């Protein structure tokens, strides 16, 4: 590694979850080990090890561990709790009222405002990888509602529509994303 932030270090993933730094290793859909710690391994630590024979939908072990973290300590792990709520939203019946969810995501999720768009987008891709494009569409759409000026949010929604074969909608959304990105570049 050349000193850049790539999310991986010698086969181990690293990152941040709330106040905790984390290191984890993944065996695809079958095994994951994750260690979370605050200042050092001698202090406040959490260890999650997930073993399975796989799953019917081939759900990634990362998603299953995130869900476990959200259930065990939702206030300590806000990003994982957000992801869990968005998975539930993605699986809800069409037409369900999401007003309460929007308010919770914006005001009560515990995810910092400057990280929220990226966290929702990441959850959208997790839903897409694990539950399919149709389910992910709801998460990506919610992200554009909450972050209407985000070129990235609109690009992800466009990509999802393209994957579903909605070429005309995808083209319109890609164009909107490019306009937003160009507007950001044009600002002094």
């Amino acid at each position: 590694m050349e000193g850049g932030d790539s999310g991986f270090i010698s086969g181990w993933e690293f990152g941040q979850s709330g106040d905790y730094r984390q290191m984890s290793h993944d065996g695809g859909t079958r095994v994951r080990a994750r260690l979370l710690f605050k200042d050092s391994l001698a202090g406040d630590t959490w260890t999650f090890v997930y073993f399975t024979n796989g799953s019917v939908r081939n759900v990634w072990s990362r998603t299953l561990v995130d869900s476990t973290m959200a259930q065990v300590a939702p206030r300590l792990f806000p990003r994982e709790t957000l992801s869990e709520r968005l998975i539930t939203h993605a699986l809800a019946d069409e037409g369900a009222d999401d007003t309460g969810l929007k308010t919770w995501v914006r005001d009560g999720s515990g995810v910092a405002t400057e990280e929220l768009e990226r966290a929702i987008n990441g959850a959208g891709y997790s839903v897409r990888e694990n539950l399919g494009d149709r389910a992910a569409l709801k998460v990506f759409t919610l992200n554009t509602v909450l972050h209407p000026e985000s070129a990235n949010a609109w690009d992800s929604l466009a990509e999802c529509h393209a994957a579903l074969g909605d070429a005309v909608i995808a083209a319109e959304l890609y164009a909107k994303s490019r306009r937003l990105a160009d507007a950001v570049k044009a600002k002094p």
Side-chain angles (χ1 to χ4, degrees), residues 54-70:
S55 68
V56 173
R57 292 183 177 223
N58 205 27
V59 175
W60 288 16
S61 61
R62 169 185 303 126
T63 303
L64 299 172
V65 171
D66 286 353
S67 293
T68 303
M69 291 169 64

Side-chain angles (χ1 to χ4, degrees), residues 78 82 104-120 143 146-147 150:
L82 171 66
W104 178 83
V105 168
R106 234 186 356 257
D107 304 329
S109 69
V111 176
T113 302
E114 63 275 6
E115 298 172 13
L116 192 54
E117 182 270 328
R118 185 175 178 202
I120 296 169
N143 207 12
L146 294 172
H147 301 97
S150 168

